[in-house]
Amino acid sequence: QVQLVESGGGLVQPGGSLRLSCAASGFTLANHAIGWFRLAPGKEREGVGCISSDETTYYDDSVEGRFTISRDNGENVGYLQMNSLQPEDTAVYFCATPEGPLCKGDFGFWGQGTQVIVSS
């Protein structure tokens, strides 16, 4: 079965950290860039960042310096390390892949998302 499955979400206090995982099955994740996106209540979906197949990373200004995207091609998994979390980071987080290895084009294949809540 071809799918992406996110995990690692939960409830964390402001200033805390979480690491999200994006596990791929049924295809070789190494051949694709991995994008991370989030959808907060009442807001439009926004891009968090992306890692290309050659591990070049890109980040939205809102998370630059706090979030780190990485990948383990041997395990077919991508990661989103989130530090210094703030209430405004509360959202459902998704990973998605485009057809190719670069962080561009249509991210057409999505996971189901994982909820992150930052609250005291």
Side-chain angles (χ1 to χ4, degrees), residues 1 15 22 26 28 54 57 63 75 79 83 86 89 106 114-115:
Q1 185 176 6
C22 172
T28 302
D54 68 358
T57 53
V63 305
E75 295 294 326
Y79 298 103
N83 298 329
Q86 300 302 317
D89 295 314
D106 181 29
T114 185
Q115 176 75 59

Side-chain angles (χ1 to χ4, degrees), residues 64-85:
E64 180 81 54
R66 299 189 298 124
F67 290 10
T68 302
I69 298 173
S70 61
R71 63 192 302 157
D72 184 339
N73 291 332
E75 295 294 326
N76 229 27
V77 178
Y79 298 103
L80 177 64
Q81 176 68 43
M82 305 186 295
N83 298 329
S84 301
L85 284 162

